[in-house]
Amino acid sequence: MKRRIASWENGHSVPDEFYGPLLCEALGMTAAELGLNHITGQDATLLDTSYPASPEAAIGNIDRLWRADLNGYEPLIQAEPSEPAWNEASLRWLVAPEPSFPASQSANGPRVGLADVQMIKSTSDMFAQLDDRFGGDHARHSVIQYLSREVAPLLAGQYTEPVGRALFSTAAEATLLAGWMSYDACHHGLAQRYFLQALRLAQDANNRRLAGSILSAMSHQATFLGHFTHGATLARGALMGISGVATPTLRAQFHAMEARALARTGDERACELALAASAKALESVNSDDEPEWITYFDQAELAAESAHCFRDVRSARQAVAHAENAMSGSHVRSDFFVTMVLADAHLHAGEPEEACRVALDALDLGEQLKSARCVAYLGEFRQHLGRFGDMAAVRDFHEQAREHRLWSATDAHRAKISIPSQP
């Protein structure tokens, strides 16, 4: 038996169907947490998309998710999102009573203070910068490793109510980042599960502004995946849920998410009204009252969202005008997205030569990005470009584009990860 254990520890073999369950029971861990992906039937809770019934449930869920993610548990990594989960989460949050903070998770856990909370915040901010600059797939595993090894023990520690609420809020923000990075990597079911746990943590931290932003992230994902009605509903839920504590920037961002969803349905009038409401909200921004994590949403970001919308309703000229005003110069992935929207808008305007030139600019910009969503944008452009046949500009573009890593990735993933067709 000692020889067998040594073989497991050295990675030369893995516990089989007999020893695997015994090892899980002895260590008090699931097969997914131990990386035993061949052991089935034990990890149904990891694939559950119901809204956590309590803060304790959220802490347990997120700890198991982090461990399973780290160990590459395939059913979780490849899971699909659940449509009912979007509805349940938004409704449960909207009607939730005033949160009563839970007791400490363990009398033997570490004592947690505000210095620990600040440490999580600073580390998450660093990872957010890496995500923005290099894409979600660049440091996603490192984020999950940090959360699992450093944050999970603190959530299960000892803290006062004020410290605990700050801890939950910061952990929710970090888990939201993990959700965004997983979404950017197109692990959509996993991303949804992270969003759900983050929403519950934000609820128990009594941080309604952050909770609304998490619903907005869910809206973004739902729209990307083609669930446009869910996308609009989630954005409206975010607006309704923070009505008493809303800031202008938050309102502007949520209206923009609603507009993105409405544009995909083809409802141009409703989309324009939502964009107008977003622009009006930005006019009254008071930076002193805005959460730090929403300050990125400015006029350039609204122009980028507007460009997406007008492209999707086939107002090519308006899409071009907004996209040309949307380059931030400081957010690489966002600038890549809006440059690809500009290229697509030129295609819709019947300008393939200009579209190809702009798309090459985007490929240069995105050379350092590890983002499946970026590949999806390129796949959609490639599909639209096919309408222009074998003209010289298209041939030249393909010759130059194949030298770029992201464009090459569309060959392998074009069928697997593509943005749903526009209406």
Side-chain angles (χ1 to χ4, degrees), residues 96-109:
E98 188 73 17
S100 57
F101 197 73
S104 297
Q105 299 298 303
S106 170
N108 298 319

Side-chain angles (χ1 to χ4, degrees), residues 8 13-17 19-25 27 29-43 67-68 71-75:
W8 297 340
S13 66
V14 295
D16 59 21
E17 293 283 348
Y19 285 106
L22 295 178
L23 188 61
C24 292
E25 183 177 355
L27 297 179
M29 299 172 68
T30 69
E33 289 168 343
L34 291 173
L36 307 181
N37 296 346
H38 62 293
I39 307 297
T40 60
Q42 300 183 50
D43 300 310
R67 293 190 193 188
N71 284 296
Y73 182 57
E74 200 68 18

Side-chain angles (χ1 to χ4, degrees), residues 13 20 53 92 101 139 142 169 191 235 242 258 267 271 306-307 316 327 337 339 363 367 384 409 415:
S13 66
R92 290 278 297 277
F101 197 73
S142 298
S169 185
I242 69 162
E258 181 186 12
D267 192 339
C271 171
S306 299
M327 296 293 289
F337 287 146
T339 305
L363 285 169
E367 194 62 23
H384 296 161

